[in-house]
Amino acid sequence: MGIVAGLDSSPDFTRIVVCDADSGAVLRQGYAAHPLDGPAEGARPSDVDPQAWLLSLGEAAGGGLLEGVQAIGVSAQQNGLVPVDSQGNTIRPAMVGGDKRAQVAAADLVDALGGREAWAQAVGCVPQAAQPVTKLRWLAKTEPEAALRTAVLLQAHDWLVWQLLGRPARRTTDRGGASGTGYWSAATGTYRPDLVELALGHQALLPDVLGPWEAAGTTPEGLLISAGTGETMAAAFGLGIGLGDAVVSLGASGSVMAVHHEALVDSSGMITSLADATGMHLPVVTTLNAVRALRGAAELLGVPDLEALSDLAMKSTPGSHGLVLLPYLEGERTPNLPHTAGTLAGLRRESMRPEHLARAAFEGMLCGLADALDVLRGRGVEVRRIFLLGQAAELGAVQACAPALLGTQIVVPQPADYAAIGAARQAAWALGVQQGTIQPGLPPVWQGAAAQVLEPGEALAVGQAVRQQYVSVRDQTHPGAFRS
């Protein structure tokens, strides 16, 4: 079918991969950091000039990288809101990432619609500080003149696609990107313009939501541009996950997402109901504490890095000699305990050794993620294997503990630009549909990610006993806080 490209514009850089459209084999790649200066005086750290994304895109694509490419897909950081005026000009810098100053705006929105359950029913999520709908509320309250001039709402990948196409009259997005806005429902597949008005104070134009295989258009040079999507959805597509698969992401905070056939409405607000890049759904459950619990333990024990903490933990045994760490160091979202603190239980003379505390940190982190996984399983989401992502997934203690504590096969993919690969796969889909070589409902079959596969095996029973030890401490310390 030819060659296609995928572009991932992350918060800090642009990566481009050029792939064989039939097999997905990566033929060449490019990279460039965003040319971001420090924020201007008085500007928020999360204010970014979107022109920086275009500059790094041009640099990453230099040297003839895109020569011969027939189609390109765009993945970009989620929650990056670009407010545009009626003439197509950006009104202010893009609002990206999370900002604690928007937490008040999030609480205002929750109250304005009648509570967390009302939001979950409306759009499948409860407003958080990072979401575009919350940023609109912040804009209306903090920069009312800019809010009044806002006529069109775009996210980062919408804006990039629009620029690549020469700023046409029609603006587009996809289901994945739209589902994270807080004003589009994955369950109904429709916008809630009333929620835009609730947040911004007036209506604004919203981009058309394209199907997974639809093209946004063709550049003047004849390059087909696919719908594009958010980084999370692109990475899931690049990994090739499907029904029965979940992804556990180990960052400072943690997240668990799985492919499901329907959108889930969760009145507790623990599940964020996103759409994926294939026409399916991606329910996500987030924990506030993952690798930050490991870093805290490393600092407490005086070990230099996480590798040393892992080596120390491996000198202990499953169950950490009775030590249990509830890793709620920043409060917690799953369960909903925003103002709590962490707990270390089971202290006895024989358990007060560095290796046992080190292992308790790993077990506590993974048990917290198992709680998040149980939220999805409790709603009928099937999980037969788990893809474990993040640098911490390479640690020996994580790989030793995860299969038994999470209770299923663990897949640790080799590091790769999965979001860019997913964007390229989307481009191949759009190109194949246009050429008539691929059915609209069937994405191209690409080679899977190279990965290490870990099985729980005989350790499963021991792992479940450790998990039960954790659950007992959790329920005694926070009775009734967790509802699976």
Side-chain angles (χ1 to χ4, degrees):
M1 204 164 55
I3 58 174
V4 294
L7 180 159
D8 175 37
S9 181
S10 84
D12 300 313
F13 55 78
T14 298
R15 290 193 190 276
I16 301 176
V17 297
V18 176
C19 301
D20 179 87
D22 293 312
S23 69
V26 176
L27 306 177
R28 49 187 187 263
Q29 42 198 319
Y31 168 88
H34 294 328
L36 298 180
D37 300 322
E41 185 176 351
R44 299 185 307 146
S46 51
D47 280 351
V48 174
D49 183 352
Q51 291 295 328
W53 306 335
L54 284 180
L55 290 170
S56 68
L57 189 165
E59 184 179 345
L65 184 77
L66 298 181
E67 187 175 341
V69 168
Q70 295 166 275
I72 189 168
V74 176
S75 153
Q77 59 182 306
Q78 286 153 246
N79 299 321
L81 180 67
V82 186
V84 175
D85 67 17
S86 57
Q87 304 301 311
N89 302 311
T90 53
I91 291 167
R92 65 177 317 285
M95 304 164 71
V96 301
D99 189 325
K100 290 189 175 180
R101 281 177 281 187
Q103 288 176 347
V104 173
D108 284 349
L109 283 175
V110 171
D111 291 342
L113 195 64
R116 297 168 64 86
E117 185 169 357
W119 278 96
Q121 293 287 345
V123 287
C125 63
V126 177
Q128 304 292 327
Q131 283 182 295
V133 72
T134 303
K135 288 169 178 167
L136 292 179
R137 182 71 159 199
W138 183 92
L139 192 66
K141 295 290 186 182
T142 312
E143 300 178 9
E145 291 185 8
L148 281 172
R149 292 174 54 211
T150 299
V152 184
L153 302 178
L154 299 176
Q155 292 192 87
H157 88 264
D158 309 337
W159 188 85
L160 283 166
V161 167
W162 184 54
Q163 296 291 329
L164 289 172
L165 291 173
R167 298 161 57 100
R170 185 193 189 204
R171 301 168 182 89
T172 61
T173 189
D174 85 306
R175 297 170 66 254
S179 66
T181 59
Y183 43 81
W184 186 88
S185 167
T188 64
T190 56
Y191 280 116
R192 287 288 302 265
D194 58 312
L195 299 183
V196 172
E197 187 167 357
L198 180 70
L200 186 61
H202 62 87
Q203 293 289 342
L205 292 175
L206 302 169
D208 293 344
V209 181
L210 299 177
W213 53 85
E214 291 187 89
T218 305
T219 69
E221 298 78 26
L223 183 66
L224 188 74
I225 310 288
S226 64
T229 195
E231 272 190 314
T232 297
M233 300 79 187
F237 198 34
L239 282 166
I241 70 169
L243 287 172
D245 293 334
V247 175
V248 171
S249 182
L250 300 176
S253 56
S255 67
V256 177
M257 67 178 180
V259 178
H260 198 48
H261 63 276
E262 63 180 353
L264 297 178
V265 174
D266 174 46
S267 59
S268 74
M270 284 195 289
I271 298 175
T272 297
S273 192
L274 300 177
D276 79 347
T278 73
M280 300 291 281
H281 295 269
L282 277 179
V284 180
V285 180
T286 301
T287 69
L288 296 182
N289 301 278
V291 175
R292 64 165 41 99
L294 301 184
R295 296 202 183 281
E299 290 173 10
L300 181 65
L301 293 169
V303 297
D305 51 38
L306 296 186
E307 288 76 12
L309 185 73
S310 174
D311 292 343
L312 185 61
M314 294 297 284
K315 295 176 180 177
S316 182
T317 53
S320 308
H321 271 244
L323 279 188
V324 174
L325 176 66
L326 301 183
Y328 305 156
L329 307 184
E330 296 284 330
E332 190 46 83
R333 183 174 170 185
T334 306
N336 185 28
L337 298 166
H339 306 299
T340 194
T343 301
L344 184 63
L347 284 168
R348 297 181 183 275
R349 179 63 189 88
E350 62 270 19
S351 66
M352 295 178 70
R353 296 187 58 82
E355 62 266 28
H356 302 324
L357 178 55
R359 187 169 185 111
F362 283 95
E363 290 179 345
M365 176 188 74
L366 290 166
C367 284
L369 289 161
D371 280 351
L373 198 60
D374 280 351
V375 172
L376 296 179
R377 284 174 164 151
R379 294 296 305 277
V381 178
E382 184 180 13
V383 178
R384 293 193 300 270
R385 64 176 178 170
I386 294 171
F387 286 76
L388 201 58
L389 302 185
Q391 288 187 332
E394 304 288 335
L395 296 173
V398 169
Q399 296 191 3
C401 297
L405 292 178
L406 300 180
T408 193
Q409 182 186 86
I410 302 294
V411 179
V412 184
Q414 290 184 2
D417 300 324
Y418 290 111
I421 290 169
R425 191 178 177 201
Q426 187 192 63
W429 198 358
L431 180 64
V433 168
Q434 186 189 71
Q435 294 177 340
T437 57
I438 292 179
Q439 293 295 319
L442 298 172
V445 178
W446 279 14
Q447 56 198 16
Q452 181 181 7
V453 178
L454 309 169
E455 299 283 356
E458 296 179 357
L460 182 60
V462 173
Q464 296 313 292
V466 173
R467 176 85 198 290
Q468 188 54 52
Q469 175 179 270
Y470 175 93
V471 168
S472 296
V473 172
R474 183 199 70 203
D475 290 347
Q476 288 169 11
T477 310
H478 303 287
F482 189 84
R483 293 184 296 149
S484 60

